[in-house]
Amino acid sequence: MAQPKVLITGIKGFTGTYLAAELEANGWDVWGVGSQPDEADLRYRCVDLLHASDLRAVVEEVQPDAVVHLAAIAFVGHSDADAFYRTNLLGTRNLLAALAGVRHKLQCVLLASSANVYGNTTEGVLTEDFPLNPANDYAVSKVGMEFMARLWMEQLPIVIVRPFNYTGVGQSENFLLPKIVAHFRKRAESIQLGNLNVWRDFSDVRAVVRAYRRLLEVRPAGATVNVCSGRTHSLREVLHMAEHISSHCLQVQINPAFVRANEVLSLSGSSARLRDLIGDWDVPPLEETLRWMLGAR
């Protein structure tokens, strides 16, 4: 029996690297596309998602059984607001149009959205049925992507995932936990942060990609699924964990520019639907993830 073939967009990125390894370890033939050339990788193609004809050519060449669409501009503070819409919305539309025209029958198309679509003003545990309330261009682009994807659901077996915060070795220091880890690793004297008394849901990238793999295997076409730990930690807790692991203390300076107006104190996701779909699945304790990140070489 031939290996199932998967095409991952954004395969060279943080999540894509871990997902490729997870799928290869579980019997998938992994192909990928991205924005940077890599001629040494024979199963990789450098493609701009905004160039529809090039994208169609790659899809026709690979003839995947499944697709995971990770390629996106994900840093909320990215300086070019237009880029969110070009890449996250129009790039996704080009991909879906290419997939709808492929001769090979697809088993699953997994689209990575974001828990940012819920906004940051709804307190408590968020299920997939909570109203969408995006608060920045990144989140609006993801909401637009989700609604646009609905136009293709009769033609394609689409599953939308809404991951909450997740982290791990290799994530950019533009993101909060890698920034904190980097300061402890270099034993910095101080760090500038926002509100330390906000509680958020953090997952480990290794658990996230396991969830993505299982969703590819169970193929719940039409579903929208939170991917989250269901556990919350405050930033103050994160700092204490990092201090304990590293045996280093640093001074925290509260920068008013990093404090969001009307930000809710506690925000987490419900993973009930995910667990109903994929069965037994868990996220390592955050302290274990931080220990892994702080010990990385």
Side-chain angles (χ1 to χ4, degrees), residues 120-138:
N120 59 7
T121 58
T122 304
E123 190 88 26
V125 180
L126 306 181
T127 71
E128 293 86 351
D129 299 322
F130 266 73
L132 305 184
N133 187 27
N136 51 58
D137 283 299
Y138 168 68

Side-chain angles (χ1 to χ4, degrees), residues 68-228:
V68 183
H69 181 39
L70 301 176
I73 295 177
F75 177 51
V76 171
H78 186 74
S79 59
D80 182 2
D82 290 349
F84 287 121
Y85 299 99
R86 288 194 300 269
T87 301
N88 299 355
L89 183 57
L90 298 179
T92 302
R93 189 189 187 285
N94 286 341
L95 175 65
L96 295 178
L99 296 176
V102 75
R103 300 183 304 275
H104 188 67
K105 183 174 175 59
L106 284 155
Q107 299 172 358
C108 186
V109 178
L110 191 76
L111 302 182
S113 181
S114 168
N116 274 268
V117 299
Y118 299 119
N120 59 7
T121 58
T122 304
E123 190 88 26
V125 180
L126 306 181
T127 71
E128 293 86 351
D129 299 322
F130 266 73
L132 305 184
N133 187 27
N136 51 58
D137 283 299
Y138 168 68
V140 172
S141 74
K142 287 296 189 178
V143 170
M145 183 204 74
E146 288 194 19
F147 276 86
M148 183 270 299
R150 295 180 187 179
L151 302 176
W152 301 91
M153 283 191 172
E154 290 187 4
Q155 302 173 64
L156 297 168
I158 293 172
V159 178
I160 295 173
V161 289
R162 292 174 179 165
F164 282 63
N165 300 307
Y166 64 92
T167 191
V169 174
Q171 189 177 35
S172 167
E173 292 176 22
N174 286 334
F175 294 89
L176 181 58
L177 264 59
K179 172 184 174 179
I180 291 172
V181 165
H183 278 68
F184 277 97
R185 281 173 56 85
K186 63 188 179 186
R187 309 189 82 77
E189 293 183 0
S190 64
I191 186 172
Q192 292 192 355
L193 296 171
N195 187 353
L196 302 184
N197 296 312
V198 293
W199 296 69
R200 292 294 181 265
D201 190 320
F202 296 104
S203 294
D204 187 304
V205 65
R206 298 167 295 184
V208 170
V209 297
R210 283 197 299 273
Y212 289 0
R213 172 179 62 82
R214 289 290 295 124
L215 287 168
L216 287 183
E217 293 167 350
V218 300
R219 311 171 195 169
T224 298
V225 188
N226 286 341
V227 179
C228 52

